[in-house]
Amino acid sequence: EHYASLEERKFKTLAQARALALQVDWPARPQAPVRPSFLGRRQYNNVPLGELVEFIDWNPFFAVWQLRGKYPNRGYPRIFDDETVGAEAKKVFDDAQKMLKQIIDGRKLQANGALAFYPANSVGDDIEVYEDEGRTVKTGTFCTLRQQELREEQAEYLAMSDFVASKSSGVADYIGMFAVTAGIGMDKLIASYEAANDDYGKIMAQALGDRLAEAYAEKLHLDVRRTLWGYASEEKLDADDLLKVKYQGIRPAPGYPSQPDHTEKQTMWKMLNADDLASIQLTESLAMLPAASVSGLYFANPEAKYFAVGKICKDQVEDYAGRKGMAVAEVERWLAPILGYDN
């Protein structure tokens, strides 16, 4: 019955999907993976909020207020020209600018960040992370998930491990990871609006905290590409290009389509030490505190791209549970939204 349902949904077996992994001849590539400017962890705390403003993507801000323009006035700043929501969008935007100025001038929020680079190589669908360039002592392993859903005209079935040079290739590669927040001080700020029964102010503050955290992630990624990792030192893109992800490399986050498993954050936090370095904690449900926080992995190779794992089968769940040292039932609980079978 299980296999009949798989057939119905049209999946590759895990073995078939692995046979169709992204093929990269790592030793033959014209450019070897770039070594980051440092290895290990660093903190970037008390980043001036004013430096983040130019990196803000305002489109999700309007979604918070359920304001959506109709084509061709969908996105910011065209939304202001929309007949239906334009005036209201302009009002909340102007209010946001006032509050943003108060937050920056009054230093009401603090932006903290932690960043780490380590030597890394892929082994199958896993990414081994090493203590140093000797690559003999493992500091941790990221387990990745591979696409299995049959898609027409799809030649490759991707996992994030495909974007890191394989151990067997003998090519030295690296991985990065980060966690940033703009939410230090948010509790106090929200309490002040709650005390004044100001729901509008409270929602506005939370929305701006989220925008600033995402802006910090965007700025840090730019610094990583140009200098800290330095694999795209010549990059010259404007803010619009950044939002369109026109740069080399990706920063996927656990819990998102390229790696839908939130438990991978635990592995990341052990290596990153974001609690101590940036005061960003993980809750029991693996959400980040403060809420206005963003985290993810950095992949630098030009082959790296965002993709959605989609639904997966029992053969992969069992294999993945074995690699992670977790019970199958626990993995099924965390991966419930992407199970391609009735659990």
Side-chain angles (χ1 to χ4, degrees):
E1 192 186 306
H2 168 57
Y3 289 105
S5 88
L6 290 191
E7 218 169 284
E8 225 172 89
R9 291 168 192 262
K10 298 199 171 151
F11 289 95
K12 297 274 187 198
T13 65
L14 181 58
Q16 288 169 335
R18 282 176 172 162
L20 293 168
L22 177 70
Q23 298 301 315
V24 181
D25 187 348
W26 294 102
R29 281 163 90 250
Q31 193 196 357
V34 174
R35 187 186 192 276
S37 68
F38 68 90
L39 294 175
R41 314 175 182 112
R42 283 196 187 167
Q43 64 184 157
Y44 298 88
N45 292 350
N46 278 313
V47 170
L49 297 178
E51 291 180 9
L52 306 181
V53 175
E54 66 178 294
F55 295 95
I56 291 178
D57 176 5
W58 287 104
N59 287 307
F61 171 80
F62 295 108
V64 170
W65 303 102
Q66 297 180 324
L67 296 171
R68 190 163 186 261
K70 290 191 179 72
Y71 181 83
N73 300 318
R74 271 199 195 127
Y76 166 81
R78 285 183 171 173
I79 191 170
F80 300 144
D81 299 326
D82 188 78
E83 283 179 15
T84 317
V85 302
E88 199 183 339
K90 188 74 174 79
K91 182 192 175 299
V92 294
F93 181 76
D94 289 346
D95 289 345
Q97 302 315 300
K98 282 182 209 147
M99 187 182 283
L100 193 54
K101 189 175 187 317
Q102 290 166 1
I103 287 170
I104 293 169
D105 293 350
R107 298 188 173 185
K108 293 178 189 294
L109 294 177
Q110 182 180 322
N112 283 359
L115 167 69
F117 297 120
Y118 290 103
N121 282 110
S122 64
V123 177
D125 293 354
D126 293 340
I127 300 164
E128 291 187 351
V129 183
Y130 308 108
E131 206 168 80
D132 53 39
E133 287 284 26
R135 297 174 188 257
T136 49
V137 181
K138 269 198 300 181
T139 185
T141 301
F142 287 112
C143 299
T144 75
L145 291 161
R146 188 168 294 284
Q147 294 174 316
Q148 281 188 279
E149 260 184 287
L150 200 62
R151 293 172 170 90
E152 277 183 39
E153 295 173 24
Q154 182 165 326
E156 297 159 345
Y157 286 73
L158 300 174
M160 290 196 309
S161 58
D162 294 349
F163 307 145
V164 178
S166 62
K167 195 175 185 176
S168 60
S169 73
V171 171
D173 209 343
Y174 304 87
I175 196 165
M177 59 204 76
F178 74 96
V180 297
T181 185
I184 309 287
M186 182 63 82
D187 288 349
K188 192 177 169 188
L189 189 57
I190 284 172
S192 70
Y193 289 112
E194 283 176 343
N197 290 319
D198 183 356
D199 285 345
Y200 179 71
K202 177 182 162 183
I203 294 166
M204 182 68 78
Q206 288 169 322
L208 287 175
D210 289 344
R211 290 301 86 223
L212 286 166
E214 292 283 358
Y216 189 179
E218 197 68 75
K219 183 192 183 301
L220 186 60
H221 198 184
L222 177 70
D223 293 341
V224 162
R225 295 191 302 273
R226 282 189 185 160
T227 57
L228 299 172
W229 194 329
Y231 63 82
S233 54
E234 303 298 305
E235 179 185 297
K236 288 179 180 66
L237 297 174
D238 62 23
D240 204 38
D241 290 331
L242 296 183
L243 298 182
K244 287 176 183 162
V245 194
K246 288 191 176 176
Y247 46 75
Q248 180 181 320
I250 58 173
R251 56 168 191 272
Y256 282 80
S258 299
Q259 171 43 298
D261 180 12
H262 283 280
T263 70
E264 286 291 293
K265 279 188 210 146
Q266 293 169 320
T267 307
M268 196 161 87
W269 248 245
K270 278 178 197 149
M271 291 188 230
L272 188 57
N273 196 13
D275 308 56
D276 295 335
L277 293 183
S279 303
I280 308 170
Q281 277 87 36
L282 291 179
T283 66
E284 267 183 36
S285 62
L286 301 182
M288 290 175 284
L289 277 181
S293 299
V294 180
S295 64
L297 298 174
Y298 289 129
F299 293 84
N301 290 319
E303 292 83 2
K305 60 187 173 189
Y306 292 106
F307 65 95
V309 169
K311 301 282 187 195
I312 62 171
C313 302
K314 186 107 182 181
D315 59 348
Q316 178 157 205
V317 170
E318 288 172 345
D319 182 271
Y320 186 74
R323 282 153 45 210
K324 280 182 73 82
M326 286 168 75
V328 170
E330 194 186 352
V331 170
E332 286 177 329
R333 184 169 67 80
W334 283 103
L335 296 183
I338 66 155
L339 298 181
Y341 58 92
D342 293 330
N343 179 21

